[in-house]
Amino acid sequence: MAYFTQEESSPRKSTIKLIKQIAYTYRVMKMADGNHVSFCLN
């Protein structure tokens, strides 16, 4: 049976960078009527 350490289960730096870029550019705006509209900034 294999045991995993923190180093083996942690994502690569490139994966974290991609997630941060998506999170930075993705936005959700709440409209006056209560609906949510999602959009992406370039």
Side-chain angles (χ1 to χ4, degrees), residues 20-29 37-41:
K20 286 181 179 181
Q21 287 175 342
I22 293 171
Y24 179 75
T25 58
Y26 180 79
R27 298 287 186 257
V28 176
M29 181 173 25
V37 178
S38 60
F39 59 95
C40 186
L41 303 172

Side-chain angles (χ1 to χ4, degrees), residues 7-34:
E7 295 91 24
E8 294 173 346
S9 63
S10 62
R12 294 185 298 178
K13 288 184 179 182
S14 60
T15 304
I16 292 178
K17 183 178 177 182
L18 176 66
I19 292 170
K20 286 181 179 181
Q21 287 175 342
I22 293 171
Y24 179 75
T25 58
Y26 180 79
R27 298 287 186 257
V28 176
M29 181 173 25
K30 186 174 182 182
M31 304 300 282
D33 60 359

